[in-house]
Amino acid sequence: KNMKSKKSPEAQTRPSRCPDNSAFKQQKLPAWKPQLTITTVLSSFFVTGAFCLSAGICLILSANSVREIQINYSDKCSDCSKLRENSSNWNNDCYCSVDFMLKEDMLGDVFMYYGLQNFYQNHRRYVISRSDAQLLGRDVDIQKSYCAPFTTYRNGTPMAPCGAIANSIFNDTIDLFYNLKSSVIQVPLLKTGNSWWTDKNVKFRNPKSHNLSSAFAGTARPPYWQKPVYLLDEEDERNNGYINDELIVWMRVSAFSTFRNLYRRVSRTRQFADGLPAGNYTFRISYNFPVSKFKGKKHVILSTMVWSGGSNPFLGIAYTVCGAAATLTGFVITAIHLNLRKKKTYLQK
């Protein structure tokens, strides 16, 4: 009796699910199959270790060559800090001065940063509290954004810009003076060109109108601001509104509670053509940003720049640690290999 069953007509007409008999679909393409030997393995570890160690040492030496001075002015401006604790005093100006001395010249480009400590920008509700469409100059309904509760006032007037990030913008004004025996010279500072090109030209745009005041008609400043967005820089209209450098820099939030943002650059003109000469200086600060409520600290930093960036040794340390680990692993593998070869030779005898 024939035990083989014939295929049904339905099974014969069903398309086959077997892949095509091609080199690609049948995984028959030629491939490189490296044969790992002790020579190639040790060479890889030692070459990688040497490269990482060299790069790490160069980066650390480069970071250490950066000249930097950091001034904590939270405690030195304690009178202004107490004044700002009461929000009803927002329209009362308060100034304080901080003297310091540069023992050595700061040659080259000099950058001024403001630093905040214990200010958490990484809270989820804070990070999303913005309207990117509004910052692009579009006419949007911000009630549908994540800006709440900083969207509109009780009378329905929308805030421009909306959201908690913009509302909490750093608004201290910091000026730098060079103190000579016979006179006091204000150091010229550049307030434009401090933001990323993509931010300034792509992510932030002003509403289209014949002038900024009419472009922002029908809107109001955020509650914590002292002036509307179209008056952030009354001297330069190209640095006003949503394309203001200080606003753009602030809107790029930090991942950590202690951070610094670029505030100004020293204009290399007159006696500051080569940088900041050694001598006595004074920071004159218009104190507006309160930090005592969250036990924060404020700093102003002057720093130079090198080819690898600013005074941050993290990348150099990371390269050095990885290079040392790779080199140490190479020596361990070498010791294991020699030990096994010695045992094999002994057994053959």
Side-chain angles (χ1 to χ4, degrees):
K1 185 179 179 180
N2 187 7
M3 301 297 293
K4 295 182 180 179
S5 60
K6 294 182 179 180
K7 291 184 179 180
S8 64
E10 186 178 323
Q12 291 177 352
T13 58
R14 187 182 303 157
S16 175
R17 300 176 65 183
C18 181
D20 296 337
N21 189 22
S22 63
F24 177 76
K25 292 188 176 181
Q26 294 297 336
Q27 300 182 16
K28 296 179 181 179
L29 290 173
W32 177 55
K33 298 179 181 179
Q35 298 296 324
L36 296 179
T37 62
I38 189 63
T39 303
T40 57
V41 170
L42 289 179
S43 299
S44 301
F45 274 103
F46 285 123
V47 169
T48 302
F51 171 78
C52 290
L53 283 173
S54 302
I57 293 172
C58 290
L59 288 170
I60 291 174
L61 293 175
S62 176
N64 290 337
S65 66
V66 173
R67 296 274 298 119
E68 180 176 298
I69 183 169
Q70 180 170 309
I71 306 293
N72 181 349
Y73 68 91
S74 304
D75 299 330
K76 296 182 180 181
C77 299
S78 56
D79 293 338
C80 291
S81 179
K82 292 178 181 178
L83 180 70
R84 290 290 175 252
E85 288 180 3
N86 189 347
S87 59
S88 62
N89 296 323
W90 67 270
N91 57 344
N92 295 332
D93 294 334
C94 189
Y95 295 91
C96 62
S97 298
V98 180
D99 298 325
F100 67 98
M101 183 178 67
L102 282 182
K103 296 181 180 179
E104 299 179 6
D105 296 342
M106 297 185 74
L107 301 177
D109 294 328
V110 181
F111 300 84
M112 180 188 292
Y113 301 83
Y114 62 84
L116 289 176
Q117 183 178 339
N118 209 36
F119 188 92
Y120 289 85
Q121 289 188 310
N122 55 5
H123 191 281
R124 183 182 64 86
R125 289 290 301 275
Y126 182 88
V127 171
I128 64 176
S129 185
R130 59 188 291 164
S131 173
D132 291 322
Q134 183 194 45
L135 295 172
L136 278 169
R138 299 173 183 170
D139 186 13
V140 294
D141 182 9
I142 59 175
Q143 293 284 7
K144 298 180 181 179
S145 67
Y146 294 102
C147 286
F150 302 102
T151 51
T152 60
Y153 287 93
R154 292 182 179 179
N155 60 2
T157 304
M159 299 180 190
C162 70
I165 305 177
N167 184 59
S168 61
I169 188 173
F170 182 86
N171 56 351
D172 284 0
T173 302
I174 306 171
D175 293 316
L176 179 61
F177 294 89
Y178 181 37
N179 302 320
L180 299 173
K181 293 182 179 180
S182 56
S183 62
V184 176
I185 303 172
Q186 184 171 2
V187 179
L189 301 174
L190 301 174
K191 53 187 175 181
T192 58
N194 301 323
S195 58
W196 292 17
W197 184 92
T198 51
D199 287 347
K200 185 83 171 181
N201 297 277
V202 179
K203 297 178 66 175
F204 292 81
R205 307 303 302 165
N206 282 326
K208 293 182 179 179
S209 182
H210 62 280
N211 60 57
L212 278 181
S213 59
S214 62
F216 290 98
T219 64
R221 58 178 175 80
Y224 292 173
W225 285 30
Q226 297 176 340
K227 50 188 176 182
V229 66
Y230 56 86
L231 292 179
L232 289 179
D233 189 350
E234 301 180 40
E235 300 175 358
D236 187 359
E237 189 169 337
R238 295 172 299 176
N239 188 42
N240 223 334
Y242 293 149
I243 58 174
N244 177 263
D245 272 52
E246 292 180 37
L247 174 64
I248 292 174
V249 170
W250 178 259
M251 294 300 290
R252 185 174 289 277
V253 296
S254 172
F256 302 100
S257 60
T258 299
F259 61 92
R260 64 175 65 177
N261 284 334
L262 182 59
Y263 180 68
R264 297 285 190 268
R265 291 175 294 125
V266 174
S267 177
R268 298 178 65 175
T269 57
R270 302 193 302 273
Q271 61 263 56
F272 307 104
D274 297 327
L276 291 179
N280 296 316
Y281 290 84
T282 300
F283 284 123
R284 188 172 184 267
I285 301 160
S286 174
Y287 198 104
N288 299 303
F289 193 86
V291 294
S292 57
K293 292 288 182 70
F294 56 87
K295 298 180 181 179
K297 299 290 184 182
K298 292 192 293 186
H299 303 83
V300 57
I301 303 109
L302 292 174
S303 177
T304 58
M305 196 75 72
V306 292
W307 63 270
S308 60
S311 178
N312 188 354
F314 173 78
L315 188 61
I317 294 173
Y319 267 105
T320 304
V321 171
C322 292
T327 305
L328 181 61
T329 304
F331 281 117
V332 170
I333 294 175
T334 302
I336 294 173
H337 172 69
L338 293 176
N339 189 31
L340 291 176
R341 190 171 66 175
K342 183 178 179 182
K343 288 183 179 180
K344 186 178 180 180
T345 305
Y346 176 76
L347 291 173
Q348 288 177 349
K349 291 180 179 180

